[in-house]
Amino acid sequence: MKVYHQTGFRDKWNIESFQNGIGDGLIFSPINIDAEKLLRLDSSLKINSYLDPQLYLLNETKGTLETYPYFPGNIKAGFTTPDLDNSHIPLAQLCVDYQVENNFEYLVIPTRYHQDNPTSFFIQSTEYFVTPFYDHVKEKQISKKILLSVIVKTIMLSDEEKRNEVLNWITGHQHIHGVYLIFENNFTSKQIKDFEYLLNALKFIKILKDNQMEVHVGYTNTEALLYSIAMPDAITVGAYENLRSFSIKRFQDAENSVMRSPNARLYSTKLLQWVDHVYIQAMKNIMPDYAAYFDYSEFQPLMFKPEYRWHFNKSELYKHYFLVFSRQVKNLPPSQPERVEKIKDIIKDALLSFNTIANSGVLLDDDSNGSHLPTWLNVITAFQKELVK
């Protein structure tokens, strides 16, 4: 299973980590990197990577998106949604051509975002994006694999009819090789604790794999380990939380909104959790062996120095995560039965560790403790029943 860097703000942290051998490629973010700058990047950074076209909101000009030739406003001044009727073919062609010019590993078909998908969403998506995109690839005799961008809303997981509709639409396209799969995540907790959501996400991935499709799951956090038991081809690591959880707010102009800085957190493979630094300080004072719960990396000694000033904008927090989480993923068994048991063991060990921490007198809140882990174990047990059907 591959690990891609979901890049965004401060993508240099991802690039530097990738250059140091961490991860299998990069997913580039047009709202965060100018089109010309991306073209000038060394080919070694792009040959195993791909672009997220980010045409989720056709009329939004967030960040550097408008520097891309396929941006609708560059095709027609004052572009509005009805203009897609006459602009979808040049849009698709320009989107393909730009990705080919960068020589990415995959070509990615864009998708639109709607708060509530209209009844004609899949018909329009095929007409405006899939068909002209593939027609241009075929005409130019381009041999690269094609990924279809798909945003899966919560209702598409919980409602069987809607789930079948989107799955039938995806698998009905014979010329695509796989899916750039994005589960929309509106949960307020740092880790996903919704049993039905997680189980249905696993079923969704499994069905796509049963249909011989590549599945690249974007915008994943620690739950990527859970998703791994459905055998996707790739998951992602991202620095900030908005790169580990998909929300359309990231692509909207937030000029007038007030942003609250989050507390710095450190990821622990032993705990399967991002622990708030204030609790790390408490553990340090109460537990002599506190450091044993956090992975060693070249960045760890700096963060554990007494004078270290924790802040969510510090690169070592995320470079540490890229390293230790990627290592954790790469150590998973290749066979599904063994992987399932391995993940169960990791979760059980994490629960035991949290019990030890609690028994020492350290109290953690619900975003730093292991409250998500019992649900994850239950999800695995339920999914195992799906595997024997």
Side-chain angles (χ1 to χ4, degrees):
M1 186 169 68
K2 291 183 178 180
V3 177
Y4 285 94
H5 289 266
Q6 192 90 51
T7 66
F9 183 54
R10 296 198 167 123
D11 56 12
K12 67 177 182 179
W13 298 343
N14 303 93
I15 291 172
E16 289 169 356
S17 294
F18 178 59
Q19 289 174 321
N20 287 328
I22 300 166
D24 299 285
L26 302 142
I27 303 175
F28 289 101
S29 169
I31 67 170
N32 298 105
I33 183 169
D34 182 276
E36 285 298 323
K37 181 179 179 181
L38 181 51
L39 281 171
R40 293 194 301 269
L41 282 185
D42 192 276
S43 61
S44 64
L45 296 174
K46 296 185 285 187
I47 192 66
N48 296 310
S49 304
Y50 57 90
L51 182 79
D52 175 351
Q54 295 180 345
L55 288 180
Y56 304 121
L57 302 170
L58 296 176
N59 302 323
E60 291 276 354
T61 57
K62 180 76 178 285
T64 53
L65 182 58
E66 62 184 345
T67 66
Y68 286 73
Y70 61 83
F71 179 69
N74 294 328
I75 297 171
K76 185 182 185 300
F79 182 92
T80 59
T81 300
D83 292 317
L84 259 182
D85 289 331
N86 299 315
S87 303
H88 61 288
I89 293 176
L91 184 154
Q93 292 174 343
L94 289 167
C95 190
V96 171
D97 292 344
Y98 180 79
Q99 295 182 61
V100 170
E101 189 175 1
N102 279 277
N103 196 25
F104 293 123
E105 180 179 11
Y106 294 91
L107 301 179
V108 181
I109 302 174
T111 189
R112 289 186 65 189
Y113 179 89
H114 293 276
Q115 198 67 41
D116 297 298
N117 286 349
T119 55
S120 60
F121 175 76
F122 295 113
I123 294 173
Q124 289 183 349
S125 295
T126 299
E127 178 184 348
Y128 291 148
F129 297 113
V130 182
T131 299
F133 195 100
Y134 177 72
D135 285 348
H136 191 57
V137 169
K138 183 178 179 182
E139 179 187 347
K140 294 289 186 179
Q141 297 183 321
I142 301 166
S143 60
K144 290 182 179 293
K145 290 183 178 181
I146 300 173
L147 299 179
L148 176 63
S149 300
V150 179
I151 297 173
V152 177
K153 295 178 172 295
T154 303
I155 194 169
M156 293 177 179
L157 292 177
S158 60
D159 186 300
E160 185 177 2
E161 183 178 343
K162 293 186 182 297
R163 183 167 69 246
N164 289 336
E165 182 183 19
V166 65
L167 284 166
N168 289 337
W169 177 72
I170 294 169
T171 57
H173 296 298
Q174 301 300 312
H175 304 298
I176 65 170
H177 298 86
V179 183
Y180 172 43
L181 186 63
I182 299 169
F183 293 115
E184 188 172 27
N185 180 349
N186 296 316
F187 299 107
T188 56
S189 58
K190 301 295 183 183
Q191 302 288 355
I192 303 175
K193 305 175 185 181
D194 187 304
F195 174 87
E196 291 294 336
Y197 179 95
L198 291 169
L199 178 58
N200 287 327
L202 288 172
K203 291 178 181 178
F204 199 99
I205 296 168
K206 178 183 181 297
I207 292 170
L208 292 175
K209 290 305 300 175
D210 288 345
N211 280 271
Q212 309 303 311
M213 303 193 78
E214 284 193 31
V215 179
H216 297 232
V217 191
Y219 291 90
T220 56
N221 193 10
T222 316
E223 73 278 355
L225 285 169
L226 185 61
Y227 293 159
S228 77
I229 67 174
M231 307 306 283
D233 297 88
I235 52 85
T236 58
V237 290
Y240 297 119
E241 289 180 5
N242 66 359
L243 296 169
R244 290 180 267 121
S245 171
F246 181 86
S247 171
I248 198 61
K249 292 179 181 178
R250 178 171 173 249
F251 304 95
Q252 295 171 322
D253 188 356
E255 207 171 88
N256 298 318
S257 65
V258 178
M259 301 294 287
R260 180 177 174 271
S261 297
N263 282 356
R265 292 175 176 272
L266 184 64
Y267 177 71
S268 165
T269 65
K270 294 179 176 63
L271 301 176
L272 295 178
Q273 182 61 287
W274 291 79
V275 181
D276 191 317
H277 75 95
V278 299
Y279 297 120
I280 298 176
Q281 300 307 307
M283 291 172 68
K284 181 179 180 180
N285 281 278
I286 297 171
M287 303 177 68
D289 65 339
Y290 84 102
Y293 294 94
F294 299 93
D295 308 81
Y296 179 80
S297 74
E298 61 184 288
F299 312 101
Q300 190 241 39
L302 172 63
M303 293 184 287
F304 279 24
K305 284 183 177 180
E307 65 271 20
Y308 183 74
R309 298 181 64 85
W310 292 86
H311 193 276
F312 83 100
N313 267 336
K314 290 197 169 183
S315 65
E316 49 269 16
L317 296 172
Y318 307 106
K319 289 185 174 182
H320 171 84
Y321 162 64
F322 300 154
L323 172 60
V324 301
F325 188 76
S326 296
R327 188 166 59 203
Q328 189 172 32
V329 169
K330 294 298 183 181
N331 284 334
L332 294 175
S335 76
Q336 189 173 36
E338 291 179 3
R339 183 177 297 184
V340 170
E341 293 304 321
K342 177 67 173 180
I343 296 294
K344 286 171 68 175
D345 288 343
I346 293 172
I347 294 174
K348 290 174 182 177
D349 287 345
L351 283 168
L352 289 174
S353 293
F354 276 116
N355 285 337
T356 301
I357 292 169
N359 290 336
S360 75
V362 177
L363 299 179
L364 307 171
D365 67 23
D366 283 348
D367 281 327
S368 288
N369 66 12
S371 57
H372 59 296
L373 297 176
T375 297
W376 287 18
L377 270 180
N378 290 334
V379 168
I380 294 174
T381 301
F383 185 66
Q384 283 180 295
K385 292 185 177 182
E386 295 290 324
L387 295 178
V388 297
K389 284 184 178 180

